[in-house]
Amino acid sequence: MKKLMTILLAVLMLIPLIVSCGGNDATTTTEAPTTEAPTMEAPTTEAPTTVAPTTETPTTEAPIQTWSSKNDIRDTWSGKTLNVACSVWYGTGAPWAMPEAFITEQNDAYFGKKIQNAVLDRNEFIESTYGVKVNWLNATKASMHSALEAATLAKNVNYDLAAPRMMNVQSIVAGGYVYDLADREYIDFENSYYNENAVKTFTAHGHTFFVTGGFSTIDKETIVVLYFNKNVLGDGSEKASEELYQLVRDGKWTYDKLVEYAEAAYKDDGDGERDEDDVYGASISRYNRFFNNFGITQAGVNKATGKWEITLNDEDKIDDIIDVIIDTKNADWLLPIFGWGHVDEDFINGKYIFTDRELLESYVGLRGDNVGLVPFPMLNEEQGRYYVSTSEQQTIFMCIPKLTQDREMSEYFMDVLCWTGEEYTLKAYIETKKEHFKANADMEMITDYIIPNISYDAGKTMSWYPLIDGMEYHSYDGNENKFDEIYAEKEPDALKTIAEWNAAWGGYTEE
């Protein structure tokens, strides 16, 4: 009963997060790191504060360990408690880091019974297999950087793993709070359950401090996809939908193709004016997403030197993107975003074909036999791949704080949590999506073209945003391209920040 109440309270706190993600596209607000102490009593290495997972028979088959040759050490840490520091959403208390750890049947409306059972099975499997209790700790209501800083000063805090949001990773490295994960015995980035794109994006100066992958579903839920109304596309014929899916498969799904569909769908109601009685081709809610979805980032790692550098300086490509934004804003086929306030209802009722929304919105209405989805298109075929943007606030990483009681134990169970996350929760997540998108082609889009193409921008990870602040929103004004003058204004701060990043990552020491 105690366990049920603990989990229920956490889930009730999670629901405002889900609703806010689904109903508000403005997810780039950040809070500056603070130095306040953690919002709960500092954990120690004593017995965990949570009730042990259930020992009932798992409802899913136990996964096969991909590194079975290391099974002989599975009892090394039997009887220990693994303390995992998680973030909570500022001001609401909703758990952010690995939120599936807090799922119960009470939020089936969002996550479904399959994920709930998979989470409980995963937790039970870890305890029964390794004899280790995982103690999930809501460590902070601010940034994980602040929590680790305060815990370091307290000197008696034990965090064996931490799960910060992507926006905090640079400040955590600068504070010297985490261990390097590269070239460690129990962590192999070649394993599929570590996101390859994230590892490449956040490996600098030969150091990799953070991983992400199947252990968290919230980053999948908050990626941006393009929903389409099958009844409007090509007069509702299955052939028209299949042609769109095939464009994606062939690498020919480009923005020009989206415009082609949208222009063909637009119908004026006869009064010669754009108003709510017209039929439109698309509703695109945030033009600044074009930068991410067309492959522009603000900061990255130079492959030759391994150092951070500014990447928001490809003027030719950015000029092309700004031209697309300007043309889109002036297009007849685009539903005026802030005009009438019935966007989702209009989409379901066939007022337009396309809308860009987060994947989690399939839980709250953007689903059904008439709704399909595809990745956001490429700018052109030369782009070569689809980019699926995710939020710096809603993407969860995992790292090993220097506050751990046993570094090797932390490394071992980071790996355990990552592969069991993929084997249990990610598989259950995909099964739940199948209940919403019954067409095989829609699930193919999710598993083959959307989730594998989640992309990361290191430039979004600093809370003061020197590289991006205002650039995406103000690089164009009306019909005028303002990129050159805005970039010139911001480049000095960006160069200074890049130098600080290189100093932090390049000057890393183990102790």
Side-chain angles (χ1 to χ4, degrees):
M1 184 66 182
K2 179 181 178 183
K3 175 191 173 186
L4 179 60
M5 292 303 296
T6 300
I7 297 176
L8 175 58
L9 288 174
V11 171
L12 290 175
M13 292 187 289
L14 175 59
I15 291 175
L17 162 66
I18 300 296
V19 176
S20 65
C21 289
N24 181 9
D25 280 326
T27 58
T28 55
T29 303
T30 63
E31 66 275 3
T34 66
T35 57
E36 63 175 313
T39 57
M40 63 170 294
E41 185 178 350
T44 68
T45 56
E46 297 175 357
T49 56
T50 56
V51 178
T54 178
T55 57
E56 297 176 357
T57 303
T59 57
T60 57
E61 184 179 350
I64 300 172
Q65 288 179 267
T66 57
W67 32 254
S68 56
S69 62
K70 295 185 176 128
N71 283 353
D72 59 328
I73 69 164
R74 67 168 60 194
D75 296 328
T76 301
W77 296 283
S78 180
K80 293 280 190 178
T81 295
L82 186 82
N83 292 312
V84 184
C86 301
S87 295
V88 294
W89 179 235
Y90 187 79
T92 68
W96 271 84
M98 294 182 284
E100 67 272 15
F102 302 93
I103 290 173
T104 71
E105 66 273 10
Q106 298 302 317
N107 62 344
D108 283 349
Y110 291 105
F111 291 103
K113 203 76 169 177
K114 286 185 174 67
I115 295 181
Q116 176 229 338
N117 286 336
V119 169
L120 298 177
D121 291 344
R122 186 272 311 273
N123 293 344
E124 190 277 334
F125 173 80
I126 291 175
E127 183 174 0
S128 63
T129 302
Y130 306 102
V132 170
K133 293 180 172 65
V134 181
N135 190 21
W136 309 97
L137 299 166
N138 286 341
T140 173
K141 287 186 178 179
S143 69
M144 185 60 74
H145 165 270
S146 301
L148 295 178
E149 180 180 55
T152 300
L153 294 173
K155 295 183 179 180
N156 65 340
V157 179
N158 157 227
Y159 292 147
D160 300 302
L161 292 171
R165 291 180 277 165
M166 191 173 81
M167 58 183 278
N168 294 140
V169 301
Q170 296 286 7
S171 55
I172 289 173
V173 174
Y177 301 127
V178 289
Y179 280 122
D180 189 5
L181 305 176
D183 302 318
R184 304 301 299 176
E185 181 179 1
Y186 303 122
I187 301 172
D188 184 356
F189 298 139
E190 296 298 318
N191 285 323
S192 62
Y193 46 81
Y194 294 116
N195 185 287
E196 181 182 6
N197 291 332
V199 170
K200 288 181 178 179
T201 299
F202 291 98
T203 296
H205 295 270
H207 301 304
T208 309
F209 299 103
F210 304 93
V211 296
T212 191
F215 63 82
S216 180
T217 58
I218 195 68
D219 59 334
K220 283 79 174 172
E221 286 293 73
T222 52
I223 55 180
V224 177
V225 300
L226 203 65
Y227 291 99
F228 67 95
N229 190 313
K230 296 179 180 181
N231 293 339
V232 182
L233 183 73
D235 296 324
S237 70
E238 291 184 12
K239 181 175 181 292
S241 295
E242 179 55 32
E243 288 174 352
L244 176 56
Y245 295 132
Q246 195 59 45
L247 285 173
V248 175
R249 298 181 187 113
D250 294 341
K252 297 182 181 296
W253 173 229
T254 62
Y255 195 72
D256 286 344
K257 289 293 184 182
L258 185 153
V259 173
E260 184 180 315
Y261 280 110
E263 287 182 332
Y266 177 69
K267 294 182 179 63
D268 181 79
D269 65 343
D271 62 5
E273 298 181 1
R274 296 181 71 219
D275 55 37
E276 61 184 328
D277 295 321
D278 294 347
V279 174
Y280 294 89
S283 166
I284 297 175
S285 58
R286 292 279 293 280
Y287 304 119
N288 63 301
R289 285 175 174 161
F290 285 26
F291 286 86
N292 298 133
N293 293 326
F294 291 152
I296 289 290
T297 58
Q298 296 113 99
V301 177
N302 185 302
K303 292 181 180 179
T305 65
K307 295 181 178 180
W308 293 108
E309 64 180 16
I310 299 174
T311 52
L312 186 71
N313 50 19
D314 186 346
E315 293 187 25
D316 291 338
K317 189 171 184 179
I318 287 176
D319 286 344
D320 290 341
I321 293 173
I322 293 174
D323 288 343
V324 166
I325 293 173
I326 291 172
D327 290 344
T328 300
K329 290 178 68 174
N330 295 327
D332 287 339
W333 53 261
L334 182 71
L335 176 72
I337 303 303
F338 303 109
W340 304 303
H342 306 292
V343 176
D344 291 341
E345 180 181 343
D346 286 343
F347 171 72
I348 296 297
N349 292 334
K351 293 287 290 184
Y352 54 95
I353 300 176
F354 299 105
T355 185
D356 62 325
R357 289 290 185 275
E358 292 163 329
L359 188 54
L360 65 84
E361 299 213 24
S362 65
Y363 286 108
V364 292
L366 295 186
R367 56 174 171 163
D369 294 339
N370 67 313
V371 176
L373 76 171
V374 291
F376 202 87
M378 296 183 286
L379 178 63
N380 48 47
E381 289 186 40
E382 288 70 33
Q383 182 172 306
R385 57 159 291 192
Y386 301 104
Y387 288 90
V388 178
S389 63
T390 188
S391 167
E392 66 281 357
Q393 289 196 15
Q394 297 160 325
T395 296
I396 305 302
F397 282 76
M398 202 188 305
C399 60
I400 300 178
K402 292 181 178 178
L403 298 163
T404 178
Q405 58 184 307
D406 184 329
R407 180 176 179 180
E408 287 194 350
M409 181 180 76
S410 292
E411 292 170 358
Y412 189 86
F413 284 99
M414 171 182 280
D415 203 64
V416 168
L417 286 170
C418 287
W419 74 261
T420 55
E422 182 164 283
E423 290 289 341
Y424 281 102
T425 53
L426 185 58
K427 284 184 177 180
Y429 172 78
I430 295 300
E431 288 299 315
T432 300
K433 284 300 176 190
K434 288 180 181 178
E435 297 173 0
H436 297 176
F437 299 98
K438 295 181 174 60
N440 291 336
D442 290 322
M443 288 308 304
E444 177 192 358
M445 294 296 110
I446 291 175
T447 59
D448 295 357
Y449 297 97
I450 293 176
I451 290 180
N453 286 307
I454 293 178
S455 304
Y456 303 88
D457 179 3
K460 286 188 173 183
T461 65
M462 292 303 288
S463 58
W464 62 82
Y465 276 38
L467 302 180
I468 193 58
D469 186 23
M471 181 66 72
E472 290 182 329
Y473 296 95
H474 305 299
S475 53
Y476 52 89
D477 181 14
N479 294 328
E480 188 175 357
N481 185 338
K482 297 280 189 179
F483 174 79
D484 289 347
E485 59 187 85
I486 294 175
Y487 181 81
E489 175 186 336
K490 295 187 174 298
E491 187 181 48
D493 282 341
L495 289 172
K496 180 180 178 182
T497 300
I498 288 293
E500 292 171 353
W501 291 2
N502 282 317
W505 290 63
Y508 168 78
T509 56
E510 285 288 85
E511 300 299 336

